Amino acid sequence: MASEGTDVERNDEKVDEQVDGEKAVAAAEAARPAGGESVRVDSWIWSVRLVKTRSAGATACRGGHVRVNGERVKPAYAVRVGDEVRLRQGIRERVVVVKRVIRKRVGAPVAAECYVDNSPPPPPREAIAPAGVRDRGAGRPTKRDRREMERLRGLGGPDSP
């Protein structure tokens, strides 16, 4: 008897997952553009949650941080299914292939279904060196301190080892 109860609970969970999946697909279909099959690149990277705001997406496009199929694009560039979008965020570069074109921002699980993520894994936190942390109240760095910080960052000049 106890096993029947757990089977029923598992079946209920499966049904709930299927219903949630159907709702997610319906949300993605509602967010799809009406007539055309293209959407602005700044709007698309915002709607699939690669950037926090649409204006941040537009700024990234204007700054040359967004490439579609290898070319730098303006914010109004039309993205289509099959395009490869490269977005540089700090030291990390995201590489995604468009699977579904959506216009409105959707939930994270639905957004993840709209692209194929081919990004390299992010570098481990240990590999990222802290940028010149100085003790509070230590004052302005001397020339020697500055050269030492540049050497640690790998920005040294011709006389650095």
Side-chain angles (χ1 to χ4, degrees):
M1 287 284 182
S3 64
E4 290 177 7
T6 55
D7 289 340
V8 171
E9 289 175 10
R10 288 184 185 152
N11 289 337
D12 289 343
E13 289 174 6
K14 288 179 185 176
V15 170
D16 289 343
E17 289 175 3
Q18 289 174 350
V19 171
D20 289 342
E22 291 171 4
K23 287 181 183 178
V25 171
E29 291 299 322
R32 180 172 270 178
E37 287 296 319
S38 64
V39 175
R40 291 172 56 110
V41 67
D42 62 339
S43 178
W44 187 81
I45 62 176
W46 166 74
S47 60
V48 295
R49 297 175 173 262
L50 295 177
V51 292
K52 286 189 177 184
T53 63
R54 182 172 171 189
S55 63
T59 303
C61 291
R62 277 189 241 106
H65 300 290
V66 178
R67 292 177 178 264
V68 177
N69 298 327
E71 297 181 22
R72 287 184 177 178
V73 294
K74 293 183 178 181
Y77 183 86
V79 175
R80 293 176 178 79
V81 175
D83 286 347
E84 180 188 64
V85 178
R86 291 178 174 264
L87 173 67
R88 194 172 69 229
Q89 297 173 317
I91 60 169
R92 185 172 184 209
E93 183 176 38
R94 301 286 306 268
V95 180
V96 296
V97 177
V98 180
K99 268 177 47 177
R100 182 182 295 157
V101 179
I102 60 173
R103 179 173 308 181
K104 296 180 182 176
R105 193 169 173 101
V106 292
V110 179
E113 295 175 0
C114 295
Y115 61 86
V116 178
D117 196 356
N118 296 332
S119 304
R125 290 187 180 233
E126 300 85 35
I128 303 171
V133 178
R134 291 181 52 83
D135 294 332
R136 187 169 178 90
R140 184 175 173 178
T142 63
K143 185 182 273 189
R144 181 180 178 198
D145 292 339
R146 179 184 54 81
R147 287 182 178 157
E148 182 67 22
M149 286 188 291
E150 287 177 354
R151 187 184 62 76
L152 288 173
R153 287 187 199 142
L155 302 174
D159 59 345
S160 64

